[in-house]
Each structure stands twice: as C-alpha cells, then as structure tokens.
Amino acid sequence: MGDDTPSTFGFMLTILPRITALLSMIGSAMIISSVVRSEKNRQNMQQRLVGAMSCFDFMVSIVWFFTIFFIPSDFEDKGFPLALGNDASCSVQGFFIQLSTASFIYNISLSFYYICIIKYNCTSLKMRSIEKYLHIVPVGFGLLTAIIAVSMGLIGDADWDCWIKAEFYEYQWGLFFGPLFVSLGLTILNMARVHRHVKRTEAKAAKWRMNERQSQIYKNTNQVAKQNRLYVLSFVVIWLLPSIARIIQIFGVTIPSWFAVVCGTVIPSQGFFNALVYFRLRFNKCGSDNPDKHWWWLVCRVMVLTLFPCFTSDNHNIHDGRDVEGQSPREEEATEESSEGATPARDDPSENCSKLAISTEMDKK
C-alpha cells in the first residue's frame, strides 16, 4: 500500500484496529473475571496487579473499538470512510488513550513484584506493605498526564486516532513515549536479573540431590520466572513498532502508510496478548486433565467458564487456583477439597516467598 492510496489506508485503519481491540476487550474481560470471581486469585498480589492492569487495557480497548464515534469529520479527508465525532469527543478519546499509560507503568510494578519474590525472597508481609505503591504510581501517573494533556489543549489528530497532536511532539515524548521507554527498559532489566538468578539457582541445584519438596519449589520458581518473561515479551511485542514509528517522526520523516496501519493495528491488542500469557497455566492444566480433547475444546472451555459463569454450574475456576503461578499438585488437591466445603483454601503460593527460595534452602544444607 502506498501513500497515494489514502482511501485504502483510512479503510484499513478503520477496520483492522477494531478487530484487535475486540480481541483485547475479550482477553482483558476474561482476566478481570478470573481475578474478581476467584477468592484465591483475589488473595494473590500478582493476580491483583494483572487484574488492575487489565482494567486499563479494557477501558482503552473500548475507546479504540469505537474510534469512529470519537474522531471528528476532518479524518474523512485522510480516507477514513466514517468519522462521526467532534472536537469534544476527540478530547475524550485522547484522555482515555493517555490514561492507558497506567497499563504499561503497571508492567514495571509487575516486574518489581517478580524480582522481589524470586531474587530478594521478600516476605508476604513486606510485599503487602509496598503493594499500595505499585498501584498508586501507575494510576496516579495515568490520571495526571491525561488531565494535563486535555487541560493544555494538546489533544487532536494523531494519525490514526485522537491523542496528543504531532506538533506537540515534546509532550508526546514527555507524557507517553519517554515513560514507555523507561518502562520497557526497567521491565527488561528486571527480567534479565530474574533470569540470571534462576540460572544461578539452577547451577546450585545441579550440585545437590533434591528431595520432593525441594524439586517442587524449584519447579515453581521456574514457572513464575517463565510467566515473568512472557509478560515482558508481550509488552515488547506490542510497543516495539509504534516506538520505532515515533522515533522516525522525530527526524522529520513521514512513516509509510502500511507502517501506520501495522502500528495502529498492533497497539490495541495488549489485553489479548496478556490473556494468552495469563491463561497459559489454566490451558496447560486443563489439557493435562483432558488429554483426549482438541486444543480448540480447551480454549472454548476456558472462555465459557470465564466469560459466561452464569450459564454453567462448573465452579472449578472459582476455587481451584489454576491461574496462580507456582501451585503444586498437592496444593491444587487441597484447594479442590476445600472448594467442596464452605470456605476455599487461602494459600498463596506466589506470595509465599519462602517456597520460592530454593537457593537459600540448599545453602543451609
């Protein structure tokens, strides 16, 4: 697609981002449902962080899905087949898109959570004492910068939606892409530190003959570290190309239409990729329980139990804790047994750092 086909360019930017935004809405809604409905999930700090992040992903996905109702009629001159908004609705969309910065700041909070429980062996009490800051910073930053952008009149035509206008590129970088790059850098750095720690633990483990409990602790640590890597990977995949596009624009170069379409399509899909990572554990465990079932049956089952809980009597996803990282089979059995009674189990494997501290246990040996 070339620059001489604005109608095609506008049509593709009207259709394709709606598809990824819808997938993101579904994925984010599934995560929120899983966290809110499960007492075991609600008691887990990692689940609360991912759930809060998904709330912002869900909000911005709705805004992106209904873009045609926000963008003013001026967008029709760029080839958009439908633009039903005005300046006021444009400002509303820009506010929520800027508010979505809270989502990628939450990735920093999530990365600090992982490094605290895996590398520094923080206690549950310590983690709970700092949790409020891991929520206050993302939410506060998103709200503050969104209010600044709207109150200063920065919102307008931003190529494929309403956001901070290109002429205010310094504010684009100060309020969005600068913090985004910091978030990418910190999450990648923390992931590398966690990976290095796990590898060192692995080397220590090779020198010892581990009993069943130590083997399970080591397995759980690796499982939590893998989830950390996958969340970081999904974050990088979403924002790599849009970041390149903005860097190109800094040097006064107009990005090709096809590249703008790719960027505009990828950006709204954060909730979808987060859902792939989040439900990976439940999908794998469900597959182990039903080895004769096709993968699409497993996907449908996870979606039905999560999105349509009122239409099924199956409550396993409420009490089984299968979305919680680092859960051992023994803990799963105990949880399932307790779910048959009045009160579900209250164990929190991913917050109980002593269970993850295999290197400490081996040093004591």
Side-chain angles (χ1 to χ4, degrees), residues 38-318:
S38 170
E39 182 176 351
K40 191 174 184 66
N41 289 356
R42 293 196 305 270
Q43 292 168 351
N44 183 276
M45 181 175 169
Q46 182 267 352
Q47 294 284 308
R48 293 193 293 270
L49 289 173
V50 175
M53 180 170 64
S54 297
C55 289
F56 287 97
D57 289 333
F58 183 75
M59 285 190 293
V60 76
S61 295
I62 293 177
V63 171
W64 267 316
F65 184 79
F66 293 104
T67 291
I68 60 172
F69 297 100
F70 291 100
I71 56 177
S73 57
D74 298 348
F75 276 69
E76 293 181 354
D77 299 333
K78 302 196 309 181
F80 284 78
L82 203 58
L84 304 177
N86 51 39
D87 291 340
S89 62
C90 187
S91 295
V92 171
Q93 185 182 42
F95 176 87
F96 279 101
I97 290 177
Q98 182 59 39
L99 178 63
S100 69
T101 55
S103 176
F104 62 69
I105 301 295
Y106 259 114
N107 278 278
I108 301 180
S109 297
L110 197 58
S111 72
F112 274 111
Y113 163 81
Y114 282 118
I115 200 168
C116 284
I117 66 166
I118 296 178
K119 180 176 174 59
Y120 295 112
N121 190 27
C122 295
T123 63
S124 296
L125 184 62
K126 178 65 175 178
M127 292 303 297
R128 287 193 176 93
S129 69
I130 66 174
E131 181 181 1
K132 57 180 176 290
Y133 302 108
L134 299 183
H135 290 285
I136 290 173
V137 173
V139 175
F141 181 87
L143 280 174
L144 180 61
T145 56
I147 292 172
I148 290 174
V150 173
S151 62
M152 294 183 64
L154 306 178
I155 305 298
D157 184 350
D159 292 330
W160 54 77
D161 55 16
C162 287
W163 180 56
I164 300 175
K165 291 180 279 191
E167 61 195 79
F168 300 119
Y169 69 90
E170 66 275 12
Y171 287 100
Q172 287 186 345
W173 281 91
L175 300 181
F176 194 96
F177 284 100
L180 172 63
F181 282 178
V182 172
S183 299
L184 285 168
L186 285 176
T187 53
I188 293 173
L189 175 63
N190 286 342
M191 179 195 68
R193 296 173 69 187
V194 168
H195 179 74
R196 184 182 180 186
H197 174 77
V198 170
K199 286 300 180 182
R200 286 183 173 179
T201 301
E202 190 176 54
K204 290 182 179 180
K207 300 177 181 179
W208 296 91
R209 179 178 296 177
M210 295 184 292
N211 58 36
E212 180 182 353
R213 180 173 179 271
Q214 291 171 332
S215 297
Q216 186 61 54
I217 293 172
Y218 177 64
K219 179 181 177 181
N220 291 349
T221 304
N222 274 296
Q223 186 183 82
V224 175
K226 185 174 183 179
Q227 284 292 95
N228 175 34
R229 292 195 298 270
L230 291 175
Y231 276 120
V232 174
L233 179 62
S234 69
F235 181 33
V236 172
V237 166
I238 296 301
W239 288 106
L240 179 61
L241 292 181
S243 299
I244 293 175
R246 295 304 179 186
I247 292 174
I248 291 175
Q249 290 178 328
I250 284 182
F251 296 97
V253 179
T254 302
I255 61 174
S257 298
W258 65 267
F259 198 64
V261 170
V262 172
C263 293
T265 302
V266 169
I267 288 177
S269 60
Q270 183 69 75
F272 171 71
F273 282 94
N274 285 343
L276 292 180
V277 177
Y278 181 90
F279 289 103
R280 181 184 68 89
L281 301 176
R282 178 171 292 277
F283 178 87
N284 291 339
K285 293 170 183 176
C286 187
S288 299
D289 293 341
N290 303 273
D292 57 326
K293 300 295 185 180
H294 197 270
W295 67 267
W296 61 264
W297 183 91
L298 302 175
V299 172
C300 291
R301 178 168 174 79
V302 171
M303 292 185 66
V304 168
L305 291 177
T306 306
L307 290 176
F308 307 104
C310 296
F311 297 94
T312 176
S313 59
D314 192 333
N315 290 322
H316 288 305
N317 61 324
I318 298 179

